[in-house]
Amino acid sequence: MRETNCIFCKIIAGEIPSNTIYEDGEFKVILDASPATKGHALILPKNHCADIYEIEEDVAARVMKLAKKLACHMTETLQCDGFNLVQNNHEIAGQTVFHFHMHLIPRYKNAKNNDILKWTHENFTPEEMKEICDSLKQ
Ligand code: 5GP
Ligand code: ZN
């Protein structure tokens, strides 16, 4: 259930030190080593899986339950003003560590830089939007 050469598997095994804020049988939650904000943390499932495509549905559901619990706890403790949950999949989407993780990012009104997750917008015609919508309907 671990992958050789995976840095998060090594952190989970305790071979690489981390600032662990929560641990149970299934998850380890650590502070991000290069935090976007104060308290930026990562939920790591202990069983290695690369991304949203690989993670088991039940595990993914429990990640979200834990994210909800920690977001509330961290908001109260850090007195932050908002919160982002971010989860990147594949290099094009910004994933740099290929062991599934959910970013927990506290947000502060008085932070030096609040543009950490700003994106630009693309325009689609109403026809294109309908085509996209139709292609995605299940
Ligand atoms: P991604 O870009 O894959 O969504 O996020 C990977 C995150 O892992 C980055 O925010 C990065 O700072 C963090 N990270 C990478 N290596 C380590 C490490 O060895 N320890 C910790 N605590 N965080 C790490
Ligand atoms: Zn791993």
Side-chain angles (χ1 to χ4, degrees), residues 1-10 12 45-50 97-100:
M1 312 273 212
R2 67 171 281 179
E3 185 114 325
T4 331
N5 293 328
C6 170
I7 191 151
F8 285 172
C9 282
K10 288 179 182 165
I12 288 158
K46 288 188 172 179
N47 283 335
H48 179 95
C49 58
V97 178
F98 298 91
H99 176 129
F100 179 100

Side-chain angles (χ1 to χ4, degrees), residues 25-41:
E26 191 171 31
F27 301 108
K28 188 162 180 141
V29 184
I30 62 172
L31 292 185
D32 195 296
S34 304
T37 67
K38 180 182 165 188
H40 179 177

Side-chain angles (χ1 to χ4, degrees), residues 12 20-30 42-47 49 55-56 58-67 70 99-102:
I12 288 158
T20 300
I21 63 169
Y22 174 88
E23 187 161 11
D24 63 24
E26 191 171 31
F27 301 108
K28 188 162 180 141
V29 184
I30 62 172
L42 305 168
I43 298 179
L44 314 179
K46 288 188 172 179
N47 283 335
C49 58
I55 194 167
E56 277 178 33
D58 289 355
V59 181
R62 289 192 289 274
V63 168
M64 189 51 83
K65 270 185 94 166
L66 182 56
L70 288 170
H99 176 129
F100 179 100
H101 50 282
M102 175 77 82

Side-chain angles (χ1 to χ4, degrees), residues 35-38 40 84 86 105-108 111-119:
T37 67
K38 180 182 165 188
H40 179 177
N84 292 112
V86 176
I105 310 179
R107 302 300 299 267
Y108 304 90
K112 278 186 230 122
N113 172 23
N114 268 323
D115 284 346
I116 58 172
L117 291 170
K118 284 264 161 71
W119 55 74

